[in-house]
Amino acid sequence: MDKPNILLITSDQQHWNTIGAFNPEIRTPNLDRLVREGTTFGRAYCPSPVCTPSRSSVITGKYPSQHGAWTLGTKLLEDRHTVGEDFQANGYGTALIGKAHFQPLKGTDEYPSLEAYPILQDLDFWASFNGPFYGFDHVELARNHTNEAHVGQHYVNWLEEKGCANWRDYFLPPTGTMDPSVTHKWAIPEQYHYNTWIAERTNARLEHYREQEQPFFLWSSFFDPHPDYLAPEPWDTAYDPESLTIPGAVSGEHDSNPPHFRMTQESDPDFSHLWETGHEIHGYCSHLIPEGERKRLVATYYGMISLMDKYIGHILNKLDELGLSDNTIVVFTTDHGHFFGQHGLQYKGGFHYEDLIKLPFLVRYPGKVAAGVQNPAIQSLVDLAPTFLSLCGIPIPPAMTGVDQSEVWLGLRPEARDHALCEFRHEPTTIHQKTYVDARYKLTVYYRQTYGDLFDLREDPGELNNLWDDPGSAGLKTELLLKYAWAELGKEAMPMPRIWHA
């Protein structure tokens, strides 16, 4: 197979500083291997801090405001062009194993969803369906994080094939019978955990492509460490909560921030003035958690990452076994970050700190991408599609608005972009914000609001001092607002070149 292969491995909601090579409190030997054998990009960003928009950007090469899947509970419309179509047109096999989340848990007649009830749990349907799905000619899917009742699709069929007849014991009602009060320790045996399933089925596809001598674009999409915080033995106790650094808020740090930051530190905040659609608003609630539980959840979060790392290792070993490693571009990243106490925050929401929008981002391509290097060039998930195509010698569709990072990855130029943009539109008008971040500064603007965020990441890497209303930073704010406007203008698509004067 002369054409290079693409293996994209992603986690879900993983903080950027949870790789053992850079954080001695966590053990990730297989991700550390990718660090040694490839390049670590320390300034990678998501185009949205929630799943559906960000994941849709990965396969479209467009921002959420362009591809249309603007928040959770929406879908990527089926008429959107995806990178898998370009790979298929050039002889590649395309597959997605694990989490998709391109569609919501509820469908309508106008907007049907294959990831919705009741088809989500129609096991006969999933026994005969493997695609096509958004440019992937082969998919094997699941929809649940840990013990969620949304379990179904190909994963449950696999559980039954493996002899796990009592699989409902490990999932919440109404699908399963697991006690909702159980936390941290998940009784599911590791052999039936979805990490095992993802690695096994990923490796089966690798074997298929090797046998067929077909180049491939394969996305291996893990669910962890997305909460709820649950891990099977022995991973639930792999870390001592008392020995870990537990992040927390700094007194007074939200005094100059927009009001929703401060309200998260109240025991019973009222965010009802922001409700437009009537659906859950992620992160707009109290973030106060008792100290003991905060320690325990960090330990479990780390255990989930280490468990996932083990099965990433199984996939990397299979590449070696099949003789595919030298000709396969491996990228590891996540869809967005996570709070586990930083700034007093938990999970995710409209808080564009580095913890939430910056990503772990590793690239390995033996002999072509430098090994053991840390590179500060800014990356975005929206760049993955055009970069993958470029590295495989496939023309990039002009409608894609991500930038081609191939020469940066190959060490031929220092950078391909001087900024990243992150969008969070969680309600039509009341929760609608965008962030511009460059080599030094970060600016966040809120729709129809005069407040905002402005941080100097060099002088204030902890993002504790919001300069938005600082009189001495007024000129800087004006300059960054102009740069943000230029960034918005610059990301507009040009679906075709200008071919004549009129």
Side-chain angles (χ1 to χ4, degrees):
M1 292 185 287
D2 295 327
K3 296 179 180 179
N5 309 303
I6 303 291
L7 174 59
L8 173 62
I9 304 174
T10 58
S11 59
D12 191 346
Q13 199 162 316
Q14 183 176 354
H15 190 276
W16 65 268
N17 192 28
T18 51
I19 295 178
F22 309 111
N23 179 354
E25 294 189 0
I26 191 169
R27 297 180 292 277
T28 57
N30 295 292
L31 293 180
D32 294 356
R33 174 186 172 186
L34 290 179
V35 170
R36 292 192 306 273
E37 297 176 354
T39 294
T40 300
F41 288 96
R43 294 294 306 279
Y45 291 90
C46 62
S48 173
V50 289
C51 296
T52 298
S54 199
R55 290 170 175 271
S56 297
S57 290
V58 168
I59 60 171
T60 62
K62 296 182 177 182
Y63 290 88
S65 56
Q66 297 169 330
H67 60 58
W70 55 277
T71 192
L72 299 172
T74 69
K75 67 182 276 188
L76 182 65
L77 297 177
E78 287 85 352
D79 64 355
R80 299 312 195 245
H81 182 83
T82 66
V83 69
E85 298 171 49
D86 300 306
F87 277 113
Q88 288 176 354
N90 285 271
Y92 277 69
T94 60
L96 169 60
I97 310 294
K99 177 174 178 174
H101 205 170
F102 305 136
Q103 300 184 349
L105 282 166
K106 181 179 180 179
T108 66
D109 291 341
E110 185 177 5
Y111 302 107
S113 171
L114 277 182
E115 300 188 61
Y117 292 96
I119 198 170
L120 172 72
Q121 296 177 331
D122 182 346
L123 301 186
D124 290 336
F125 171 82
W126 294 104
S128 61
F129 178 80
N130 290 104
F133 191 64
Y134 290 105
F136 296 102
D137 54 46
H138 182 91
V139 295
E140 298 181 45
L141 305 177
R143 191 61 169 80
N144 56 292
H145 304 102
T146 61
N147 66 340
E148 287 180 335
H150 314 315
V151 63
Q153 296 174 291
H154 297 101
Y155 175 45
V156 167
N157 280 334
W158 177 84
L159 286 172
E160 295 191 346
E161 290 168 4
K162 292 295 182 180
C164 186
N166 67 325
W167 60 268
R168 294 180 186 273
D169 294 347
Y170 309 122
F171 300 94
L172 294 175
T175 303
T177 60
M178 182 175 169
D179 181 353
S181 68
V182 173
T183 58
H184 300 292
K185 181 178 180 178
W186 194 8
I188 193 169
E190 185 178 328
Q191 70 190 90
Y192 299 133
H193 193 277
Y194 46 48
N195 287 350
T196 308
W197 165 67
I198 291 169
E200 178 184 301
R201 300 311 303 157
T202 296
N203 287 349
R205 294 312 295 174
L206 292 173
E207 291 173 347
H208 169 79
Y209 295 132
R210 174 74 274 183
E211 292 170 1
Q212 298 296 314
E213 296 188 349
Q214 183 181 24
F216 58 83
F217 167 53
L218 172 56
W219 185 356
S220 183
S221 180
F222 287 86
F223 293 84
D224 286 354
H226 187 295
D228 284 340
Y229 299 99
L230 285 168
E233 292 182 317
W235 306 95
D236 61 314
T237 57
Y239 294 91
D240 175 11
E242 299 301 324
S243 68
L244 300 176
T245 302
I246 308 299
V250 174
S251 179
E253 69 168 291
H254 295 308
D255 290 351
S256 59
N257 284 344
H260 64 286
F261 287 80
R262 297 190 295 274
M263 292 172 69
T264 63
Q265 307 305 296
E266 300 172 6
S267 59
D268 188 25
D270 181 6
F271 286 103
S272 61
H273 62 288
L274 300 176
W275 298 348
E276 285 185 283
T277 62
H279 302 294
E280 179 185 1
I281 302 178
H282 288 75
Y284 287 71
C285 58
S286 176
H287 287 233
L288 301 179
I289 296 178
E291 180 70 17
E293 176 62 12
R294 290 179 57 235
K295 294 180 178 180
R296 187 70 181 89
L297 65 85
V298 175
T300 306
Y301 186 75
Y302 279 16
M304 295 167 74
I305 293 171
S306 290
L307 171 59
M308 177 183 64
D309 178 86
K310 173 182 175 179
Y311 288 91
I312 291 173
H314 287 190
I315 297 170
L316 298 178
N317 291 341
K318 178 59 70 170
L319 280 177
D320 290 343
E321 175 189 321
L322 296 173
L324 294 172
S325 294
D326 286 347
N327 197 41
T328 299
I329 302 160
V330 177
V331 173
F332 171 80
T333 187
T334 193
D335 53 0
H336 54 79
H338 180 66
F339 295 113
F340 51 93
Q342 296 89 347
H343 306 282
L345 301 171
Q346 302 292 333
Y347 311 127
K348 58 194 174 191
F351 320 97
H352 284 187
Y353 291 117
E354 297 289 272
D355 306 282
L356 186 59
I357 70 171
K358 194 167 81 166
L359 315 171
F361 198 95
L362 312 176
V363 178
R364 186 187 75 176
Y365 190 9
K368 295 182 175 62
V369 170
V373 169
Q374 296 181 53
N375 190 316
I378 294 175
Q379 309 285 311
S380 174
L381 294 184
V382 77
D383 301 338
L384 286 177
T387 303
F388 288 158
L389 293 174
S390 179
L391 288 167
C392 295
I394 300 172
I396 300 169
M400 286 187 178
T401 53
V403 303
D404 176 7
Q405 295 274 0
S406 60
E407 291 189 347
V408 178
W409 292 10
L410 297 173
L412 302 177
R413 59 187 293 198
E415 64 179 24
R417 56 163 69 244
D418 61 7
H419 68 273
L421 290 171
C422 183
E423 307 176 344
F424 184 65
R425 188 174 191 177
H426 209 35
E427 292 281 64
T429 65
T430 58
I431 303 177
H432 186 190
Q433 66 196 69
K434 293 188 180 183
T435 290
Y436 167 93
V437 57
D438 63 20
R440 178 172 178 177
Y441 297 106
K442 177 188 289 179
L443 178 89
T444 301
V445 296
Y446 298 82
Y447 183 54
R448 293 179 177 173
Q449 301 295 340
T450 57
Y451 55 66
D453 312 335
L454 172 55
F455 293 105
D456 183 339
L457 298 177
R458 186 178 72 186
E459 299 300 322
D460 178 27
E463 298 175 275
L464 302 175
N465 183 25
N466 185 359
L467 301 174
W468 182 268
D469 290 323
D470 172 40
S473 302
L476 173 64
K477 182 169 74 172
T478 299
E479 177 186 345
L480 291 174
L481 285 168
L482 181 58
K483 288 183 175 180
Y484 162 69
W486 290 344
E488 284 290 334
L489 293 170
K491 78 175 192 185
E492 292 180 3
M494 290 187 288
M496 66 167 286
R498 189 180 185 196
I499 59 176
W500 198 241
H501 69 278

